[in-house]
Amino acid sequence: MARVLRARKVIHHHIYSSIWSNIKEEVSVILYNSIWLLGSGDFIRFWNDNWCGSVLSEVFNIPSHISQSLTSSVSDYIFNGQWNLPPHLSQHYNTISYLVQQVIIPIEPSHDKLLWKQTDSGDLKLSDAYLFKVPQFQDLHWAKVIWSPDIPPSKSLLVWRIMDNKVSTYENLMIRGCALP
């Protein structure tokens, strides 16, 4: 992930790779479906990363032009292994203390880790990404019946289109915005 991001922003210039143009479009999806596991807190942005169950700038409806300038890290609010929120912050945002206190600070310092929320292990594997992105197809029990050597393919195709509601009927054309006299 570090190679695709610079200063927490997706690299938009060309990188010689056969898959980069598609991957960079999915970084926001990956970040939206990930959560940070607190280690030292040095690499986790306090306001703009999901580390306590949600992104704090979104929870408190902080406008994006303001939230982008909030650069403090989670480690800025930890002192001697305990949460140390400024009193004015807790007063202005009532529930921030509750949200922050739900996250346990590790006793032994470790690295912050980005976890994929869609798996039990937290690791994002290619197979997990594929299952996440590819829609799960419904079981079409009738498909085996119509695609038979006994039925001409043109008839099977017509039945398939009828069952999938893809035939150019008047109603279907109207739904797709075609105006007919």
Side-chain angles (χ1 to χ4, degrees):
M1 185 64 76
R3 292 181 158 217
V4 298
L5 299 175
R6 277 206 188 121
R8 302 285 181 140
K9 294 187 177 152
V10 179
I11 299 170
H12 291 286
H13 63 272
H14 177 72
I15 294 178
Y16 183 73
S17 169
S18 61
I19 61 174
W20 173 243
S21 59
N22 291 325
I23 290 175
K24 70 180 176 183
E25 294 172 3
E26 299 299 326
V27 171
S28 61
V29 174
I30 292 170
L31 292 176
Y32 182 78
N33 288 286
S34 299
I35 187 167
W36 283 95
L37 178 64
L38 182 63
S40 64
D42 292 330
F43 296 104
I44 304 173
R45 298 176 301 170
F46 185 81
W47 293 101
N48 297 315
D49 284 337
N50 182 0
W51 60 275
C52 62
S54 53
V55 178
L56 292 177
S57 63
E58 293 174 4
V59 170
F60 297 109
N61 296 320
I62 298 172
S64 62
H65 68 281
I66 295 174
S67 68
Q68 290 173 358
S69 64
L70 299 173
T71 59
S72 59
S73 66
V74 172
S75 64
D76 295 338
Y77 299 94
I78 298 174
F79 182 71
N80 286 336
Q82 301 213 355
W83 290 110
N84 185 27
L85 295 176
H88 69 279
L89 190 62
S90 298
Q91 290 170 355
H92 189 61
Y93 300 108
N94 298 332
T95 57
I96 198 165
S97 295
Y98 174 76
L99 290 171
V100 168
Q101 294 295 332
Q102 300 302 312
V103 178
I104 299 170
I105 301 171
I107 296 172
E108 294 293 323
S110 59
H111 296 290
D112 300 322
K113 185 175 181 183
L114 190 61
L115 302 175
W116 179 247
K117 291 191 285 188
Q118 310 300 329
T119 60
D120 294 334
S121 68
D123 294 332
L124 176 58
K125 299 177 188 158
L126 182 59
S127 58
D128 299 325
Y130 176 79
L131 291 174
F132 180 78
K133 289 300 288 183
V134 173
Q136 299 301 315
F137 296 106
Q138 56 186 327
D139 183 27
L140 304 175
H141 59 280
W142 49 265
K144 291 184 174 125
V145 175
I146 65 168
W147 293 105
S148 163
D150 301 329
I151 301 173
S154 62
K155 305 303 181 215
S156 296
L157 183 60
L158 177 62
V159 172
W160 182 281
R161 293 184 71 210
I162 290 170
M163 298 297 285
D164 203 23
N165 202 23
K166 300 294 182 189
V167 177
S168 299
T169 62
Y170 181 74
E171 291 82 18
N172 285 343
L173 291 171
M174 292 297 289
I175 289 171
R176 291 179 178 89
C178 296
L180 298 173

